[in-house]
Each structure stands twice: as structure tokens, then as C-alpha cells.
Amino acid sequence: MLVIYSAAHPMVPPTIYSLDPEPSIWEQTQSAWHVAPGGSLCLLQSDGGWQPEASLTELLAKAAGWRIEYALMKAGVINEMSVNGIVSDPSHDHLIDRAIQRAAPTPDPTGAGDTNVSS
């Protein structure tokens, strides 16, 4: 993540960008991905959602949650990110296991695809 503070901080929140993964231009145009045009993450519900006394750690936790939901979107487990974010909304927690199961390679019962060779 890249965190950029403006001269107006703490009255305005810092801007946070994901560097890995970096959202595509197409994802930046779709509200389901919670990415603003230009690539910054949309982590607050409204302009008034930031409180000047708030800690950066709250936004970083939301950014980490964004990363999890991004992976769920890429895995096709969800069609859009949650409104409040996975950090404060446990409704997507069970989907993490589903995404892991989808991504896990299916074992080849014949052993033909086994790349573990002992010497």
C-alpha cells in the first residue's frame, strides 16, 4: 500500500493506493471494486466518514480488508465488495475458505501430474 498525506491532513484523510495488486483501469471505472478513478481506494462511506482524530491504523485495516475482498472478486466468489468492508462486516468471512478451495489445485488421482520427485 502507498499512503499519501495532503497538506490538509488531518482534516482530510490520506489517500491510499494498492501497489500489489494494482487495480486495472477497467476496475477503476467500476464501483463494485471500491477503487476511485486514478487508482486510490475508496475506504470511507462518505466525505464525512473521516474524523481528523482518527488513526491511520483504521484506514490500513480497511485497506487490508479491501485486499481480501479484491482477491474474492478476482476468484469469482463475490460480484461486488461489501458496503462497510470485510473488516467490520463478517458476512463474507465464510467466503475466504471457498476462495481458497477454488484456487487449490485438484490432485491428479493417477499421480501423472505429480511434480514431487524424490532422489
Side-chain angles (χ1 to χ4, degrees), residues 2-3 7 22-23 39 41 49-50 54 57 67-68 83-84 100 111-112 116:
L2 171 67
V3 180
E22 185 176 341
L41 304 184
W50 171 255
T57 57
R67 176 61 181 97
I68 293 168
V83 173
N84 295 317
I100 291 169
N116 295 330

Side-chain angles (χ1 to χ4, degrees), residues 42-78:
C42 296
L43 301 174
L44 301 169
Q45 289 295 308
S46 65
D47 290 336
W50 171 255
Q51 301 299 317
E53 66 276 2
S55 169
L56 174 63
T57 57
E58 293 174 33
L59 278 182
L60 290 177
K62 287 184 175 215
W66 176 91
R67 176 61 181 97
I68 293 168
E69 288 193 63
Y70 184 87
L72 292 173
M73 293 269 294
K74 286 293 204 180
V77 176
I78 59 174

Side-chain angles (χ1 to χ4, degrees), residues 16 19 38 103 112 119:
I16 299 179
L19 300 177
S119 32

Side-chain angles (χ1 to χ4, degrees), residues 17-43:
Y17 295 87
S18 175
L19 300 177
D20 185 21
E22 185 176 341
S24 71
I25 298 296
W26 181 83
E27 292 164 352
Q28 294 175 32
T29 66
Q30 308 298 309
S31 63
W33 294 88
H34 291 208
V35 180
S40 64
L41 304 184
C42 296
L43 301 174

